[in-house]
């Protein structure tokens, strides 16, 4: 009995010591907004704002300054673990190696990208490119894609220095992962450092467990927390975007108890007053009202962006929050003058989703609890992905029709090229099964990383909408003549939706 009590005392002492090891560590909180600045709808989308480190992190101030004003290029990177990271990286490689002609000058298509929206695994790639530009092609493979992060993170969780965080209310597993990514991948950069100069505006997206909305790491979203995003670590945003339920812990933000004008916006009041229950603006506004009472919602819990929008096409770029309630006019990114100059819009949705039967289903076994949860999660994402891509395509076309009605006779009408890139477009059944078997996780074998990267370019060049875009700009792949064949077709039918 005495020996048992001694063991209990020793165990308690060890746990207490472990708690003390991390007792001084705290999570990185989002700062309160210092100077109230009323919301300013009507961005430029031409980089006309101030793009310095102190400029607000929004469309108006962080879109590239040197891009063509007649062309707007949007990339959307989906979730899917390292598989999604490699797939989106392959798209960046393909755009780097593609040349288009604008105003008689040949330019890399990658340099014309204006906006990258991302969730989950796609956010690792998007954030790195938004911070470091072309450096991604020199060290991202070594630092991230071909690194066994699963082992690294597990070792970190179990180390004596971090076990104390299991009992620390001021720190959780998500905070530890974010800290590791900050130290080892993103160099502790903040949103002051993101999307500078001619790099694209990057929208990293998570899901708010409190409201059920997509949470975009942009100033328009932080306005509702009376907070500034500028000094918030990029690594924390990426971790929130990829925090898979159960496996990870949420990233937490503070809803500051301040009376700032940014929190109470006119479009939210209008949407609530109109009570159009079928309106997306109303549904979003109803959820945003919860932020207005920090006493009942003091903190925000964020997890994987794939929960609410696994393609990063509707909840972020086409969100009423980003456009001050006026998605139809893309008011957060464009004013009437800049929108009137647009002639072509290219949207590339990079979907790393896989389609494969579950082992328990093939064998006729009863699924266990975790398998049931996984199957339910996959089913919801499958439906959301299909509907999100279709609705996004319709919204972009609706926006084009609206702008074209406003153009004067003789002005070039705007045209949208909407291209969806997905594993399901692989024509060869055996090859399709091989890629659909690539796992979702924090590590892939190097040969699978390379295969997924190469596949991305092949699929992109096989899309009829992308081919039509290249034709409009006399596009070519490096090493091929202008007007020559580009890419190897992967299937007879192109992308859907159109």
């Amino acid at each position: 009995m005495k020996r048992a009590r001694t063991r209990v005392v020793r165990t308690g002492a060890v746990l207490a010591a472990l708690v003390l090891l991390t007792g001084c560590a705290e999570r990185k909180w989002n700062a309160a907004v210092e100077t109230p600045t009323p919301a300013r709808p009507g961005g430029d989308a031409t980089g006309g704002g101030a793009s310095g480190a102190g400029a607000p992190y929004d469309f108006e101030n962080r879109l590239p300054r040197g891009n063509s004003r007649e062309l707007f290029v949007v990339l959307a990177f989906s979730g899917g673990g390292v598989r999604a990271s490699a797939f989106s990286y392959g798209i960046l490689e393909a755009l780097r190696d593609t040349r288009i002609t604008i105003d008689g000058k040949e330019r890399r298509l990658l340099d014309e990208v204006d906006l990258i929206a991302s969730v989950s695994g796609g956010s690792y790639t998007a954030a790195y490119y938004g911070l470091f530009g072309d450096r991604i092609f020199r060290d991202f493979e070594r630092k991230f894609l071909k690194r066994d992060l699963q082992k690294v993170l597990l070792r970190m969780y179990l180390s004596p220095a971090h076990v104390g965080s299991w009992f620390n209310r001021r720190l959780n597993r998500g905070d530890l992962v974010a800290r590791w990514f900050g130290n080892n991948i993103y160099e502790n950069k903040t949103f002051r450092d993101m999307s500078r100069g001619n790099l694209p505006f990057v929208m990293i997206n998570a899901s708010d467990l409190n409201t059920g909305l997509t949470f975009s790491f942009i100033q328009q979203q932080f306005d509702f927390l009376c907070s500034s995003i500028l000094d918030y670590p990029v690594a924390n945003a990426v971790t929130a975007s990829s925090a898979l339920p159960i496996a990870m812990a949420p990233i937490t933000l503070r809803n500051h108890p301040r009376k700032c004008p940014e929190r109470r916006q006119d479009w939210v009041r209008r949407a609530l007053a109109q009570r159009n229950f079928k309106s997306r603006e109303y549904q979003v506004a109803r959820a945003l009202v919860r932020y207005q009472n920090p006493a009942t919602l003091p903190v925000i819990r964020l997890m994987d962006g794939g929960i609410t929008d696994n393609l990063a096409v509707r909840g972020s770029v086409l969100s009423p929050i980003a456009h001050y309630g006026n998605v139809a006019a893309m008011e957060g990114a464009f004013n009437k003058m800049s929108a009137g100059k647009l002639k072509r819009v290219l949207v590339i949705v990079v979907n790393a989703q896989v389609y494969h039967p579950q082992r328990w289903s093939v064998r006729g076994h009863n699924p266990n609890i975790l398998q049931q949860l996984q199957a339910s999660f996959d089913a919801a994402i499958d439906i959301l992905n299909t509907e999100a891509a279709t609705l996004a395509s319709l919204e972009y076309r609706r926006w084009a029709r609206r702008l074209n009605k406003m153009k004067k006779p003789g002005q070039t009408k705007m045209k949208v090229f909407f291209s969806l890139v997905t594993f399901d477009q692989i024509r060869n059944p055996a090859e399709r099964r091989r890629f659909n078997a690539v796992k979702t996780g924090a590590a892939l074998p190097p040969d699978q990383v390379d295969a997924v990267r190469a596949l991305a370019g092949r699929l992109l060049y096989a899309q009829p909408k992308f081919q039509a875009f290249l034709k409009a700009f006399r596009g070519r792949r490096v090493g091929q003549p202008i007007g020559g064949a580009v890419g190897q077709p992967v299937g007879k039918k192109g992308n859907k939706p159109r």
Side-chain angles (χ1 to χ4, degrees):
M1 190 67 153
K2 183 177 180 182
R3 186 175 299 174
R5 283 199 301 268
T6 302
R7 283 200 299 267
V8 171
V9 171
R10 286 177 179 173
T11 301
V14 169
L15 292 177
L18 291 174
V19 171
L20 288 174
L21 282 172
T22 55
C24 297
E26 292 189 13
R27 65 171 48 100
K28 176 66 178 179
W29 289 103
N30 52 307
V33 65
E34 295 298 331
T35 306
T37 52
R40 295 173 296 166
D44 192 351
T46 61
S51 63
Y57 193 76
D58 56 19
F59 284 111
E60 182 178 0
N61 293 283
R62 295 301 180 104
L63 283 166
R65 301 177 66 84
N67 290 13
S68 170
R69 300 188 179 191
E70 299 179 357
L71 172 64
F72 194 70
V73 180
V74 179
L75 307 181
F77 292 165
S78 81
V82 175
R83 182 185 65 249
S85 306
F87 202 43
S88 54
Y89 180 74
I91 292 294
L92 293 181
E93 289 182 305
L95 299 182
R96 176 199 61 189
D97 297 336
T98 301
R99 301 292 184 269
I100 59 173
T101 301
I102 300 177
D103 297 329
K105 296 181 180 179
E106 201 173 58
R107 294 175 56 88
R108 298 192 315 174
L109 180 51
L110 182 59
D111 293 332
E112 289 297 323
V113 174
D114 296 280
L115 170 64
I116 303 178
S118 65
V119 295
S120 200
S123 291
Y124 295 110
T125 308
Y128 202 88
Y129 185 68
L131 286 171
F132 306 116
D134 274 13
R135 201 182 102 185
I136 194 172
F137 303 119
R138 298 193 296 273
D139 60 14
F140 191 61
E141 284 183 63
R142 171 182 55 82
K143 291 178 69 174
F144 182 84
L145 288 178
K146 295 183 178 179
R147 193 171 190 169
D148 193 342
L149 294 175
Q150 198 160 295
K151 286 184 179 179
V152 170
L153 296 178
L154 184 60
R155 192 181 301 122
M156 179 192 67
Y157 282 152
L158 299 177
S159 71
H162 292 133
V163 169
S165 68
W166 301 356
F167 314 97
N168 189 342
R169 292 184 178 182
R170 295 178 297 179
L171 208 65
N172 63 26
R173 300 191 311 279
D175 299 307
L176 293 179
V177 173
R179 182 180 299 175
W180 188 91
F181 278 119
N183 291 335
N184 296 278
I185 306 294
Y186 299 106
E187 301 179 7
N188 294 314
K189 300 288 187 181
T190 69
F191 281 89
R192 285 184 185 274
D193 308 301
M194 180 76 86
S195 304
R196 300 283 302 278
N198 205 47
L199 289 174
F201 182 51
V202 175
M203 294 181 70
I204 299 169
N205 300 281
S207 297
D208 184 348
L209 296 182
N210 304 86
T211 63
L213 294 178
T214 294
F215 187 97
S216 300
F217 283 85
I218 56 176
Q219 186 55 50
Q220 291 101 313
Q221 185 87 54
F222 273 58
D223 283 344
F224 290 95
L225 306 180
C226 286
S227 179
S228 170
I229 193 176
L230 287 180
D231 293 318
Y232 194 71
V234 172
N236 287 54
V238 173
T239 303
S241 181
S242 58
L244 193 67
I246 300 177
M248 290 275 287
I251 290 294
T252 307
L253 296 178
R254 182 169 282 141
N255 188 17
H256 291 282
R258 294 194 173 197
K259 294 182 179 180
C260 63
E262 294 90 342
R263 173 174 276 152
R264 301 177 183 275
Q265 297 185 15
D266 289 339
W267 74 267
V268 174
R269 285 194 290 267
R270 287 195 304 269
L272 292 174
Q274 291 168 359
R275 295 181 62 79
N276 180 357
F277 304 127
K278 296 181 180 179
S279 162
R280 188 163 171 238
E281 285 74 18
Y282 172 80
Q283 298 299 332
V284 172
R286 186 180 62 176
L288 290 175
V289 167
R290 292 200 60 197
Y291 294 144
Q292 295 181 6
N293 190 359
T296 59
L297 189 63
V299 294
I300 311 300
R301 309 288 183 182
L302 303 177
M303 295 209 76
D304 198 301
I307 297 171
T308 50
D309 180 5
N310 197 48
L311 295 185
V313 289
R314 293 201 76 230
S316 55
V317 182
L318 300 174
S319 166
I321 297 172
H323 298 289
Y324 306 103
N326 193 354
V327 177
M330 299 283 189
E331 196 165 292
F334 297 93
N335 56 36
K336 289 184 179 180
M337 182 178 296
S338 59
K341 295 176 182 178
L342 276 178
K343 296 180 180 178
R344 299 288 185 268
V345 174
L346 172 65
V347 181
I348 301 175
V349 179
V350 185
N351 182 9
Q353 182 181 8
V354 292
Y355 306 84
H356 59 84
Q358 299 291 341
R359 185 176 299 177
W360 55 264
S361 176
V362 173
R363 296 179 177 180
H365 295 168
N366 287 323
N368 60 37
I369 293 176
L370 289 179
Q371 290 169 337
Q372 291 176 47
L373 288 172
Q374 182 65 54
S376 301
F377 191 69
D378 289 345
I381 285 182
D382 288 353
I383 295 170
L384 282 174
N385 281 356
T386 300
E387 293 186 351
T390 301
L391 291 172
S393 175
L394 291 173
E395 288 198 51
Y396 275 107
R397 293 212 305 263
R398 190 179 300 122
W399 174 48
R401 287 196 298 269
R402 185 179 188 274
L403 289 183
N404 287 336
K405 286 181 181 179
M406 298 168 57
K407 290 197 173 188
K408 298 177 181 178
Q411 282 187 305
T412 302
K413 300 294 185 182
M414 190 180 88
K415 186 174 182 179
V416 175
F417 300 87
F418 191 96
S419 188
L420 175 64
V421 183
T422 174
F423 286 12
D424 208 34
Q425 293 161 340
I426 302 172
R427 186 181 180 189
N428 183 281
E431 184 183 23
R432 188 166 60 248
R433 283 194 299 272
R434 179 165 63 88
F435 278 102
N436 277 327
V438 177
K439 293 182 178 180
T440 302
L444 287 179
D447 61 327
Q448 284 193 346
V449 170
D450 291 336
V452 171
R453 285 170 49 199
L455 176 68
R458 282 177 49 209
L459 290 173
L460 176 62
Y461 273 95
Q463 303 312 308
K465 290 293 183 180
F466 187 67
Q467 292 278 358
F469 170 82
L470 292 178
K471 185 176 180 180
F473 286 90
R474 301 181 69 220
R476 69 182 182 91
R477 206 165 188 172
V478 171
Q480 294 178 333
I482 294 176
V486 283
Q488 178 182 353
V490 181
K492 291 183 178 179
K493 295 186 178 181
N495 52 311
K496 296 179 181 180
R498 295 190 180 183

